[in-house]
Amino acid sequence: MSFQIMINLAMALLWMIINDAWSFASFISGFFLGLLVLYFMRGFFRERLYFHRVYAALVLVLIFFKELILSSFSVAKQILSPKLNIRPGIFEMETTLEKEWEVTLLSLLITLTPGTLVVEVAPDNRSLFIHAMDLQSVEAAEKEIRNTFEKAIREVSR
Amino acid sequence: MTEIVDWIVALLALVGAAFSIISAVGLLRLPDIFTRSHAATKAATLGVLCVVLGAFLFFMVHTQTFSLRFVLTLVFVFVTAPVGGHLIARAAYNAGVPLAERSSQDALSRSREENRASNEEKTDNNY
């Protein structure tokens, strides 16, 4: 992946030298032309092209903001309701993510989302212990995290 | 154009302030430290996000400066808030702070007891 980025940057530099135009705008146009060249060279790389990964990361950020807004409103509703009607609890979620940074990212995202909080990561990185503010059913909470964050992170690291 | 942006900025600042107030209310009303830290992390995410976004838009329109410092602020808040929340909750749990009585389950204590039991079994076998 870093090799592809290096090629892309070299292509941008080459474009600037050929045009003898040393501005940020010409760097950008050279960078995008480099992307095009990389796209045509895609058969020569063993890995998939790196901008698939950039795209997946963008999708992850969008999913995060959607979850952030939705769960902020649900938590605000619970706090402001006249009778506090919540069932907090700690549940265990087994994760299929393996690399250290993936598990770290997953727990960061879970903790940032209001309503869920990672209390502990199991020593073998296999499962997370999550405190939920309103735990109606463990399966539903687990499924939600699995279908949003975990799936998106796996897409990034694939 | 600036008129519209001013309205958007005002709205963002208001929403951010409202979320901060709500989390302050939550800090007072919720039963135990774990649920309270939910309220605290919420202020640090959506509330700060709205306020900083408002400031960013305001300076972009009124002084024509595209200040990346605001983006950097957001990045630092988003990186540090969950780490702090996690550490506080973990420290509280390990120090033996009880969960609220209305809590439905505690999977962590169950798993720890299982671990302890299996460890004892292992040491028994060694002897």
Side-chain angles (χ1 to χ4, degrees), chain A residues 5-17:
Chain A
I5 295 176
M6 287 303 289
I7 290 184
N8 202 343
L9 286 178
M11 219 74 90
L13 191 68
L14 195 67
W15 179 253
M16 280 157 81
I17 294 171

Side-chain angles (χ1 to χ4, degrees), chain A residues 64 72 75 79 81-82 84 86-90 92 108 111-112 115-120 129 131 133 135 138, chain B residues 22 26 29-30 34-35 37-38 42 45-46 49 78 82 86 89-90 93 102-108 111-112:
Chain A
F64 166 67
S72 283
V75 170
I79 289 174
S81 63
L84 216 51
I86 52 171
R87 302 273 301 160
I90 296 179
E92 182 179 1
L108 280 181
T111 309
L112 262 177
T116 47
L117 175 77
V118 176
V119 179
E120 182 155 292
F129 293 93
H131 184 275
M133 186 162 150
L135 191 61
V138 177
Chain B
I22 290 171
R29 282 193 72 192
L30 292 169
F34 302 103
T35 45
S37 80
H38 286 303
K42 181 156 58 62
T45 48
L46 202 62
L49 177 77
F78 273 61
H86 166 68
R90 196 177 129 95
Y93 194 92
R102 61 170 85 221
S103 300
S104 53
Q105 60 160 329
D106 185 356
L108 185 49
S111 131
R112 286 210 171 154

Side-chain angles (χ1 to χ4, degrees), chain A residues 36-48:
Chain A
L36 201 70
V37 174
L38 275 183
Y39 180 71
F40 286 121
M41 283 169 71
R42 66 189 180 279
F44 296 102
F45 298 120
R46 238 172 275 136
E47 296 175 299
R48 66 193 176 131

Side-chain angles (χ1 to χ4, degrees), chain A residues 75-142:
Chain A
V75 170
K77 210 173 81 190
Q78 279 157 6
I79 289 174
L80 293 180
S81 63
K83 263 195 143 183
L84 216 51
N85 191 22
I86 52 171
R87 302 273 301 160
I90 296 179
F91 68 97
E92 182 179 1
M93 193 197 104
E94 293 194 357
T95 171
T96 49
L97 299 176
E98 277 159 10
K99 295 193 199 88
E100 299 240 312
W101 67 267
E102 291 173 340
V103 179
T104 311
L105 188 63
L106 181 65
S107 11
L108 280 181
L109 290 176
I110 290 172
T111 309
L112 262 177
T113 323
T116 47
L117 175 77
V118 176
V119 179
E120 182 155 292
V121 182
D124 58 355
N125 275 354
R126 283 283 164 70
S127 56
L128 304 173
F129 293 93
I130 302 171
H131 184 275
M133 186 162 150
D134 192 14
L135 191 61
Q136 298 298 350
S137 89
V138 177
E139 284 80 32
E142 209 172 317

